[in-house]
Amino acid sequence: MNKLKYILRDKAGNGFPLVVAITLALVIILCGVIEYFRLNIIASGVKEALEDAIIVTVNDNYADVYHGVREGYSGGYQPDGSSFSYSVNTGDIYGYMDGVLGMEAVGDSHVKYAGDALEYKLSRLDVTIRNAPLAPSYPKNAQRFEADAVIWLEVPVYFGGKELAPMKIKLKVQAGYTEVF
């Protein structure tokens, strides 16, 4: 420790290699932090776009849900003669996200390019709509009209000019219809 203090206080130029080493170490750490933030920003942007898309899907089902609200419950049903029939639509989530994020369909995936390089890839979208029951006995405790969406996000990771193993995460969002009156 005393030798390090002596090198740092010495005016003969012996501290120059240490300063270069510390600077390079800080640059490497900064590159890692910047890559972490890039991955975080991409994941949060895709999740927000997925949330918007699933909210649009729930809103698109409003016309069918409205019939139930008038009767005191909110389910996706249409009048069918003397009864009601199940009526929900999962919408076009990929189409909405392609428009918002500027993606294109490639096989079973939807990808976004930054120039010629792949920025991220979305795949395996699964949309589940849970309809509210028709005329429940206890409307306050009944399942409400909800939509869940799960999608896999794959983002290539770069460090030191090399591509590492990609980050693969599952994003899940949920939206529901809540009657106001």
Side-chain angles (χ1 to χ4, degrees), residues 8 28 33 46-47 67 70 78 88 97 151 174-175 178 180:
L8 291 174
I28 289 171
V33 169
V46 169
K47 185 171 183 176
H67 291 289
R70 290 188 310 188
Q78 282 285 358
V88 294
M97 291 180 68
I151 198 165
Q174 182 180 63
T178 305
V180 179

Side-chain angles (χ1 to χ4, degrees), residues 5 8 16 24 28 45 53 57 69 76-77 83 88-89 94 114 116 119 126 129 157 160 163 169 172 174 177 179:
K5 287 181 185 177
L8 291 174
F16 181 72
L24 288 175
I28 289 171
T57 299
V69 173
Y77 300 94
S83 65
V88 294
N89 182 358
Y94 270 136
D116 292 335
E119 190 171 345
D126 182 31
I129 295 183
V157 178
E163 186 174 340
I169 58 173
K172 180 179 180 182
Q174 182 180 63
Y177 179 83
E179 63 277 359

Side-chain angles (χ1 to χ4, degrees), residues 53-107:
I54 199 71
I55 288 170
V56 166
T57 299
V58 169
N59 286 338
D60 288 347
N61 282 292
Y62 170 77
D64 295 337
V65 173
Y66 176 71
H67 291 289
V69 173
R70 290 188 310 188
E71 303 301 323
Y73 48 89
S74 61
Y77 300 94
Q78 282 285 358
D80 184 20
S82 61
S83 65
F84 286 89
S85 63
Y86 184 85
S87 176
V88 294
N89 182 358
T90 59
D92 185 16
I93 305 260
Y94 270 136
Y96 181 85
M97 291 180 68
D98 287 350
V100 170
L101 298 173
M103 298 185 309
E104 58 188 58
V106 176

